[in-house]
Amino acid sequence: MGRFIVAHDLGTSGDKASLHHADGRLIAAHTARYPVDFGAGGKAEQDPRDWWAGFCAATQALLRETGTDPADVAAVVTSGQMMGATLVDEEDEPIRPAVIWADTRAQAETRALAQTVGADRGYDLLGHRLDPTCSLPKMMWLRAHEPEAWARTTCVLQAKDYVTLRLTGRRCIDPSDASGTNAYDQRTGDWSDELLAAAGVDRAVLPEILPSASVAGGVTADAAAASGLREGTPVVVGGADGCTSALGVGLVGAGSGAAVTLGTSAWISMAADRPVRDPAQRIIAFDHVVPGYFVPVGAMQSAGASLGWFASTVGVGAEGIGSLVEEAGAAEAASKGLFFLPYLLGERAPIWDVNARGAFIGIEHHHTQAQLARAVLEGVAFNLYGVFEAMSESVRPIESVDAVGGGAKGDVWLQLMADTWGVPVRRRTIVDEANSLGAAIIGAVAVGLVDDWTAARDLSEVEAIFEPNEARHERALTGYRRFTDLYQRLRTWFA
């Protein structure tokens, strides 16, 4: 058997391939970028062929740069963005661009589902709100707006599962990704006949559900030629990015803490031994990639995306984000009456409002670029504080938060979040590769290289701790109350 695991994190902005030792330890990583088509009315789409091209390019580069013999790869496993809808035909070819997680056009279809099933009934069955960001309403939207495309559809896949199809020829999904579709009964661990009937969607277009740590098949000859992997290499099913990230940061059993993932979107997650339900329905619950466990999550739409949008708008671009954040660290915003609502793509937790929009509020002539940037950082931290409160009330009190993702690299944002939330925020030694680390553990378990899911806890350590300052926390609480009041005052106007 090979000595290494190749893991992939198929994200919104690119695919990150990483090479791991048999026990999951990270060796190296390489990222291949691809575009997103954001449009008016809530449109967010990507070409699945770009995912496959990114997967192949990142894999080839990783093997080449590390000098790894493909014969030494014991398994390949993928984690990926969730809640999308990728339509494929009988030849397994994409019919149209994939409708990804950020797309919110299926609002009428969501309302129709809620009227038929009942919003409370749906939340109880699914562990999720009935929401246009989920897959089932998107299927209904595609059927209504593109009936010819829908008529050709023989299967609807998630991003990682499209790559698995290209690698093996098998159509499958794991419970963590299935639980984000609005079509999965979390109580039975199977597709929900009740939701599918309400949506008028045939179960036949949904893939088979397999455990995350199971082998979907071997790399085909064609896929080997395209990717650089060895023909026959085991392909492990993998999991949804939020749940593989939870595993990568060590959220394996109940009581294992909390984590914030700061990427294009952002979320706070925990692990639980029960399918958590929040009476106010602010948070949702996925099936974990670890059998028998669940991942309560509060996810916001536009975290790093808000910062990236601002950097692009003021002309500094992605390469200038670091210096922009440093400038923001010495500036003041909310304490001086300047606020930013980070609702560029509508919002999920904690407000669940697809009509919400971004806004700077309180701008005066003397405000600087640094203060505006500070307002963006604070807006994300304030919104996540609403998630923090919901998680603390519905799951268990949060005593500290481990931070991963690209946004966790710098000190300014993590200190700001610690001050806002009033608990220590801890940066891990592995931040960008947390998803891939979790995926690697899944792969290692699947092929028998690791027999204990808790191995993930030992592969990443706390690198820095950002303690909250009591005076700054009190000021932040005042800012948070004003932030939530501003949204409530604008909510009707947004609608």
Side-chain angles (χ1 to χ4, degrees), residues 382-429:
F382 286 148
N383 192 74
L384 284 172
Y385 186 55
V387 174
F388 178 97
E389 288 187 311
M391 297 285 284
S392 298
E393 294 167 12
S394 298
V395 188
R396 56 184 173 271
I398 297 175
E399 297 179 355
S400 66
V401 181
D402 287 350
V404 295
K409 291 179 180 179
D411 294 358
V412 169
W413 214 354
L414 298 192
Q415 184 62 61
L416 190 156
M417 288 180 178
D419 292 337
T420 302
W421 305 342
V423 299
V425 175
R426 313 186 304 181
R427 181 165 57 230
R428 310 290 299 190
T429 50

Side-chain angles (χ1 to χ4, degrees), residues 82-86 99-107 109-110 113 122-123 126-142 156-158 176-184 191 195 199 201 206 284-286 299 301 348 352 354:
M82 56 186 93
M83 304 191 308
T86 303
V99 180
I100 67 169
W101 61 271
D103 194 292
T104 58
R105 289 175 289 181
Q107 297 176 39
E109 290 73 19
T110 303
L113 267 181
Y123 184 74
L126 303 165
H128 287 248
R129 282 172 171 253
L130 294 170
D131 190 77
T133 61
C134 292
S135 306
L136 188 60
K138 288 170 179 170
M139 296 181 211
M140 297 168 66
W141 186 90
L142 287 162
V156 182
L157 298 167
Q158 300 305 309
S176 67
D177 248 335
S179 64
T181 61
N182 264 186
Y184 175 88
W191 299 119
L195 266 297
V201 171
L206 297 173
I284 58 180
F286 292 95
Q301 292 280 84
R348 286 183 282 172
W352 294 93
V354 295

Side-chain angles (χ1 to χ4, degrees), residues 111-191:
R111 288 192 294 270
L113 267 181
Q115 289 170 359
T116 303
V117 176
D120 292 342
R121 170 68 173 167
Y123 184 74
D124 181 57
L125 287 172
L126 303 165
H128 287 248
R129 282 172 171 253
L130 294 170
D131 190 77
T133 61
C134 292
S135 306
L136 188 60
K138 288 170 179 170
M139 296 181 211
M140 297 168 66
W141 186 90
L142 287 162
R143 182 182 62 201
H145 291 82
E146 300 181 18
E148 293 183 3
W150 183 255
R152 296 169 52 205
T153 300
T154 59
C155 195
V156 182
L157 298 167
Q158 300 305 309
K160 80 174 195 314
D161 304 319
Y162 173 75
V163 169
T164 298
L165 175 64
R166 292 296 300 261
L167 286 168
T168 68
R170 189 171 186 178
R171 299 171 169 183
C172 60
I173 191 172
D174 81 296
S176 67
D177 248 335
S179 64
T181 61
N182 264 186
Y184 175 88
D185 188 334
Q186 202 164 54
R187 305 168 311 167
T188 64
D190 195 6
W191 299 119

Side-chain angles (χ1 to χ4, degrees), residues 416-460:
L416 190 156
M417 288 180 178
D419 292 337
T420 302
W421 305 342
V423 299
V425 175
R426 313 186 304 181
R427 181 165 57 230
R428 310 290 299 190
T429 50
I430 294 178
V431 288
D432 271 347
E433 290 80 23
N435 285 359
S436 296
L437 175 58
I441 294 296
I442 296 171
V445 169
V447 297
L449 295 174
V450 171
D451 58 8
D452 187 355
W453 292 97
T454 61
R457 292 175 178 162
D458 301 325
L459 299 177
S460 174

Side-chain angles (χ1 to χ4, degrees), residues 353 355 486-495:
D353 183 356
N355 294 314
L486 286 167
Y487 162 71
Q488 290 298 332
R489 290 174 183 271
L490 288 170
R491 181 165 59 94
T492 304
W493 186 83
F494 287 144

